[in-house]
Amino acid sequence: MLRFETAGESHGECLVATLIGLPAGVPVSVDYVDRQLWRRQQGFGRGGRMKIETDRARIISGVRHSQTIGSPIAVLIENKDWKNWQNILPVESKDADRGEHKPVVRPRPGHADLPGAIKYNYADARYILERASARETTARVAIGALAKTFLSQFGIEVLSHVIGVGPVHLQRPARWEEIVALSQRDDVLLGCVDAETENRMKGAVDHAYRTGDTVGGVFEVVAHGLPAGIGSHITWDTRLDGRLAQAIVSIQAVKGVEIGEAEHGAQSYGSDVQDTIHYDKEAHAFHRGSNRAGGLEGGITNGEDLIVRGFLKPISTLRRPLESVDLPTREPALAAYERSDVAVVPAAGVIGEAMVALVLAQAFLEKFGGDSLLETKRNFDGYAAQVRSF
Ligand code: EPS
């Protein structure tokens, strides 16, 4: 089983991720991992923190001579901002603790501040927001990059693009080549394949900047090159759609997920929604008349592109704060404001890629197993031959 965990707080010393169960022999490029970390930091609407941080992965175990060796992989990413916080959030309350606390006592509507403080019985939400922060996703992106590298060994690529920012939506389907080109750009605006739409998206973020507000949106993750047969219909927890939904909604600020054209499907009749089945006798392959199912039927991949969307609410830290309550006095008060982002939709897409890649790598290894990449490939090739002769 492929397992992963993260640790780390927004203003702690570093973020940590472990990834256990990747076969030995997977080539690893730290530059590639860092490129994914860089992509997560981009986009018009990011806050001041991204000017402080230059996220870099330090792989401390599980990789030698640019290959996985089968042992648990641990990755560290330093928080450069730690130097400004080490006296505020010291590990031990000794000499270093000069009483420089930064309590958060006016919880932000929409944030984990208040439910977390109640749950953990804190008078100050600081410890809650430190972990609830989306800074944690840096660690997910680092190990997600390893999952993506693993999948690429089998011709599977996972990328994302932005299809909505606030009220502005991309009105046409994106071609895979456009999504690939977007991921190679060194200048990231809002991660949309259509320049005119992207400019209007920028207008929505500009409006949020001007008014002290924030804005959400929709990203789409596409996994290209998947074989049919990953995931399973047999139990609720092996269905790939359910596993992907959890992975996407677990991303900070994501409140909804859509696989394929779920919302449109719910408003339509069956004859307008199902993807018709066709067979190419020369290529000996099935294909579909459309891909409204988003590449999944019965919780199993069907060989079409996997399409998963994440719906982000606007970030809950507002420069023009909303009504809240002062925890010590219980009097009405405006919510706390701490340096924050205004819009993060392209970054959330990169995090979505990482989560989709991790879930796909898990399901892939459940099907094909293998302690070494060679063994996994042999098992995969055997299955591919079986599918060809189906
Ligand atoms: C960050 C995401 C956001 C930023 C954070 C860095 O976290 P949150 O979910 O808490 O709003 O605000 O930066 C800061 C906390 C800061 O000090 O500016 C990220 O994705 O790296």
Side-chain angles (χ1 to χ4, degrees):
M1 280 287 285
L2 188 71
R3 295 187 279 136
F4 62 95
E5 272 167 13
T6 72
E9 286 120 31
S10 184
H11 304 103
E13 187 170 350
C14 54
L15 300 150
V16 186
T18 55
L19 180 64
I20 304 176
L22 209 59
V26 177
V28 172
S29 153
V30 178
D31 279 352
Y32 174 75
V33 177
D34 285 345
R35 168 82 184 173
Q36 308 315 305
L37 294 177
W38 177 85
R39 290 179 62 223
R40 196 203 70 93
Q41 293 197 274
Q42 304 308 302
F44 182 64
R46 298 309 304 271
R49 180 75 182 272
M50 291 304 101
K51 294 190 177 72
I52 299 174
E53 305 294 344
T54 319
D55 293 334
R56 295 260 187 278
R58 217 175 106 211
I59 298 180
I60 59 165
S61 72
V63 178
R64 301 292 159 201
H65 303 285
S66 303
Q67 287 201 348
T68 57
I69 58 170
S71 60
I73 299 169
V75 189
L76 298 185
I77 303 109
E78 183 195 339
N79 279 326
K80 285 192 179 167
D81 207 14
W82 165 242
K83 65 176 188 305
N84 304 316
W85 286 81
Q86 49 192 335
N87 294 328
I88 301 163
L89 293 168
V91 173
E92 285 188 291
S93 233
K94 288 197 292 199
D95 300 346
D97 187 355
R98 296 183 212 135
E100 295 177 45
H101 299 290
K102 277 200 175 184
V104 175
V105 293
R106 287 171 287 130
R108 292 162 289 179
H111 207 282
D113 296 348
L114 183 57
I118 293 170
K119 176 177 166 61
Y120 284 85
N121 198 30
Y122 284 136
D124 167 7
R126 166 62 59 195
Y127 295 144
I128 303 301
L129 68 94
E130 282 294 323
R131 180 59 184 165
S133 170
R135 179 92 193 121
E136 178 263 342
T137 58
T138 312
R140 304 200 213 184
V141 169
I143 47 172
L146 302 177
K148 288 210 281 188
T149 303
F150 168 71
L151 292 168
S152 74
Q153 298 298 307
F154 302 89
I156 302 163
E157 305 292 335
V158 185
L159 288 172
S160 66
H161 63 117
V162 170
I163 59 172
V165 172
V168 184
H169 291 271
L170 178 67
Q171 298 293 348
R172 63 170 178 87
R175 285 178 293 111
W176 174 249
E177 298 72 30
E178 291 179 304
I179 303 170
V180 172
L182 203 61
S183 73
Q184 292 165 348
R185 276 170 59 168
D186 292 327
D187 56 324
V188 179
L189 186 60
L190 282 157
C192 181
V193 295
D194 186 87
E196 189 270 330
T197 309
E198 194 174 48
N199 256 323
R200 285 191 293 116
M201 288 174 170
K202 182 175 178 293
V205 180
D206 271 329
H207 175 79
Y209 266 121
R210 276 198 305 277
T211 52
D213 218 326
T214 57
V215 66
V218 188
F219 63 82
E220 180 174 275
V221 179
V222 182
H224 186 72
L226 275 168
I230 308 296
S232 172
H233 63 293
I234 64 165
T235 54
W236 70 269
D237 55 346
T238 52
R239 283 179 170 256
L240 196 54
D241 38 15
R243 294 166 69 174
L244 289 164
Q246 188 197 2
I248 292 294
V249 180
S250 76
I251 299 169
Q252 289 81 341
V254 173
K255 293 296 264 186
V257 62
E258 181 177 46
I259 294 175
E261 295 180 21
E263 190 186 358
H264 173 254
Q267 298 160 359
S268 310
Y269 289 99
S271 54
D272 294 327
V273 168
Q274 315 304 340
D275 305 313
T276 50
I277 301 173
H278 309 274
Y279 189 73
D280 182 335
K281 287 187 175 166
E282 274 170 29
H284 301 283
F286 290 97
H287 63 93
R288 301 305 174 103
S290 53
N291 184 21
R292 299 189 189 97
L296 281 170
E297 288 168 309
I300 309 172
T301 57
N302 64 7
E304 300 291 326
D305 281 357
L306 179 81
I307 298 172
V308 188
R309 303 195 177 116
F311 292 70
L312 284 157
K313 67 171 182 168
I315 297 287
S316 47
T317 310
L318 269 65
R319 206 153 33 79
R320 188 166 44 85
L322 298 176
E323 275 177 45
S324 180
V325 170
D326 180 61
L327 293 182
T329 63
R330 304 293 153 112
E331 292 295 326
L334 291 178
Y337 173 73
E338 198 159 290
R339 182 178 56 194
S340 188
D341 302 307
V342 167
V344 292
V345 199
V350 175
I351 301 158
E353 290 172 27
M355 293 308 290
V356 166
L358 285 160
V359 169
L360 286 178
Q362 270 174 344
F364 193 92
L365 280 166
E366 279 160 27
K367 180 152 179 61
F368 301 114
D371 293 309
S372 67
L373 185 62
L374 191 77
E375 188 181 358
T376 311
K377 278 193 170 159
R378 197 165 56 229
N379 298 343
F380 176 79
D381 290 344
Y383 175 72
Q386 174 193 308
V387 171
R388 274 195 301 278
S389 62
F390 168 79

